[in-house]
Amino acid sequence: MNTLPSTWPLVPIGAICQVGAGNGAPQGDAYFAGGTYPFVRMQDVGRCQSPYITTTVDRLNDLALEKHSLRQWPAGSLLIPKSGASVALNKRALLREPAYVVSHLAVLVPGIFIDPEYLYYLSCTLDMMRLALDPAYPSLRTSDLARVRIPLPPISEQQQIVEILQEAEEIRRLRAEAEAKTDRLVPAIFDAIFGSPSEWKGGPKLGELVQIVGGGTPSRSVEHYYSGQIPWATSKDIKTLYLEDTEEHVTEEAVQASATNVVPKGTVLVVVKSKILAHTLPVAITQVPMCFGQDIKGIIPTSGIAPEFLVYSLQAQLGRILSRARGANTEGLTLEALKSLNLPKPSSKLMERFRVASEEIRNLKEAMVTCNQMGFLTSAALSAHAFSGQLTAGWREEWYHNLSDEIEQRDAALMEARATFANSRMATMQEMEKIWELPTDGIYADLNREQRDLLSEIERIVVVSNYRRYLTAEQLATDVEGPLHRHPQRIESHLSFFAARGLIIPVSRPCSDSTGPAFAACYRLPVTKKRSLKYDDDTTGIDDDIRGSLMETQRNLAMGRI
């Protein structure tokens, strides 16, 4: 397990950010007519390529602000969906300007010790579904979000991390842009060599240069027909220009018993019957022998005719082809309509020129796809290195002396705010959460959500941070966030519940307050093989495992379980 740098404490989000939620949207067009104040809805989050929201679907007007109590959030606030399917989609966004926010969004306002863009990139690595109350209907509580612990480098190191991640994002953007431009190269070269369809007068018809074969579907009632090795294509497979495999495969027996045909490598498959023909014409060039369904026609070129020549001849007259498809009674392209399509004159010299150019571009695109796939993997590795401290290790060592004052000020402020933090060994938030995940059986079975949250928080306060060995309800009421904050009586009730089950152990400690009792009641965690704590008195807890086992047995006997 990787270690975090000693200058990177794990800190609850709530200790370094203000955590809240938006307001309900005003109902009625009157509140948005001519509005000038940005109002962020769920669909605005993740809509832009940059981390920042630059535009919103709606803007509020002065009437909305007069009639409703709405909170405006400052620029730099991070927005995270807290309910609905968007929780699982990992959408995030930063406010470029002050804005009002819908209630389905959690809002994190960064404090002075965390850079907004660092918080944004880090939050993109967190799986919020782990905090969801019900995975089937995901929803997050802001109190749970505030308790999530994140690594907190010095602010200048955060900015260094952001700079590196932004450079990597720019490289990925340029790659995607180059790939899109490459897609437009072949049609442009085809047009330069063969001209537009209006210049093809006197050229051959498609049916004169190719053999067109139909497809068919082997009987679905014969299950073993679909257990073979021959690729069988349907319209859902025609998604890339070069088709190497299909979702379904059939046997030779299935081909013989149906209307489908096996066509050779280099055949152009055209979807001729589908609602998709209302706006596009799916085509693909087979890279292996295969067969296909009845909604597809196979165009087998004669010798000397490149399949790419046929593909771009069809794409060049796309409008005419789609109009024929929409006008057909069968809602598709007929065989006769295909055969009658015009083609440019296939001069062997021009054909070879186009073949060489299209092959070079194909090789270029394949290299770009491979590069982009590697870039995606590199991006994931980059994030992992960024938020474990490895990415800036050299920079941190070089600038360590300049960071010392910054680190000291940050830690002093965190201590003053009584934020529990630690120089933890955990490299990721997922690892952190997994370590403190509570069982759901045995003595943990009857714990409700609030009790489980409190017990997890006690584990973190005592074990992770080495912050405190002994606990009281009054102390916990100031440390924990959420519904139990400043509610010592409710916490005391939960602590008594824990103690009755052996989850914590009640003890008496000398009280420093001379006006009160000489000893005060408090609690400590049991000492187990997994949790070895050093106490400054003789309550070493060497029998805590045995004590817990006995209490569990007694409880099960009392409840009739054994």
Side-chain angles (χ1 to χ4, degrees), residues 175 178-180 182 363-373:
R175 282 178 180 167
E179 188 174 348
T182 303
N363 291 337
L364 173 63
K365 187 168 182 181
E366 287 178 349
M368 293 176 69
V369 169
T370 301
C371 186
N372 283 342
Q373 289 172 343

Side-chain angles (χ1 to χ4, degrees), residues 84-101:
S86 295
V87 174
L89 297 179
N90 213 37
K91 290 185 175 183
R92 309 283 189 271
L94 290 170
L95 292 180
R96 173 76 73 182
E97 58 181 329
Y100 298 90
V101 176

Side-chain angles (χ1 to χ4, degrees), residues 42-337:
M42 192 77 80
Q43 60 263 39
D44 296 315
V45 177
R47 204 157 53 90
C48 304
Q49 290 186 350
S50 85
Y52 288 93
I53 292 176
T54 54
T55 60
T56 59
V57 174
D58 289 320
R59 286 182 173 258
L60 296 170
N61 55 28
D62 291 327
L63 179 63
L65 303 187
E66 292 172 7
K67 298 292 185 180
H68 295 83
S69 298
L70 302 175
R71 176 172 182 178
Q72 187 182 57
W73 297 92
S77 298
L78 175 67
L79 308 182
I80 298 177
K82 69 183 188 71
S83 62
S86 295
V87 174
L89 297 179
N90 213 37
K91 290 185 175 183
R92 309 283 189 271
L94 290 170
L95 292 180
R96 173 76 73 182
E97 58 181 329
Y100 298 90
V101 176
V102 75
S103 59
H104 298 300
L105 291 168
V107 186
L108 279 61
V109 183
I112 61 173
F113 294 110
I114 186 162
D115 181 84
E117 292 178 343
Y118 171 83
L119 180 63
Y120 167 82
Y121 287 111
L122 175 60
S123 72
C124 290
T125 69
L126 302 180
D127 181 10
M128 291 303 169
M129 285 297 290
R130 294 179 61 83
L131 298 177
L133 299 177
D134 181 357
Y137 304 96
S139 64
L140 304 177
R141 297 189 306 196
T142 54
S143 57
D144 290 338
L145 191 56
R147 283 197 293 271
V148 173
R149 293 173 181 265
I150 61 173
L152 189 67
I155 194 78
S156 53
E157 189 169 1
Q158 295 175 35
Q159 292 164 351
Q160 180 72 12
I161 291 170
V162 167
E163 186 176 330
I164 295 172
L165 294 179
Q166 286 178 339
E167 287 177 1
E169 269 195 358
E170 178 64 12
I171 292 171
R172 288 194 294 273
R173 186 191 67 79
L174 292 174
R175 282 178 180 167
E177 190 176 290
E179 188 174 348
K181 289 180 178 179
T182 303
D183 288 337
R184 298 193 291 268
L185 274 178
V186 180
I189 291 173
F190 179 88
D191 185 67
I193 294 175
F194 297 105
S196 62
S198 62
E199 303 173 67
W200 297 352
K201 293 178 181 179
K205 302 294 184 183
L206 179 63
E208 299 172 13
L209 297 180
V210 302
Q211 176 190 358
I212 302 178
V213 298
T217 302
S219 174
R220 291 286 185 182
S221 62
V222 184
E223 188 174 341
H224 73 269
Y225 278 177
Y226 291 87
S227 61
Q229 301 298 317
I230 304 172
W232 180 73
T234 65
S235 57
K236 62 187 177 184
D237 294 304
I238 314 299
K239 297 176 181 177
T240 59
L241 180 56
Y242 295 97
L243 185 60
E244 297 182 352
D245 203 359
T246 58
E247 288 189 15
E248 296 184 274
H249 298 76
V250 297
T251 62
E252 291 185 8
E253 183 185 356
V255 175
Q256 297 298 323
S258 68
T260 193
N261 292 281
V262 177
V263 295
K265 175 184 176 180
T267 299
V268 177
L269 301 185
V270 182
V271 176
V272 295
K273 187 177 180 182
S274 171
K275 291 182 179 180
I276 200 173
L277 294 175
H279 53 81
T280 190
L281 180 69
V283 295
I285 301 172
T286 62
Q287 300 302 287
V288 295
M290 65 178 61
C291 55
F292 45 89
Q294 66 269 24
D295 293 343
I296 294 174
K297 295 292 185 186
I299 303 176
I300 306 173
T302 56
S303 178
I305 302 297
E308 289 85 0
F309 169 78
L310 299 176
V311 167
Y312 290 102
S313 293
L314 297 177
Q315 295 291 354
Q317 49 188 323
L318 183 61
R320 181 185 177 199
I321 293 174
L322 296 183
S323 66
R324 287 190 177 191
R326 289 191 291 267
N329 292 331
T330 57
E331 295 182 354
L333 282 170
T334 64
L335 179 60
E336 290 305 315

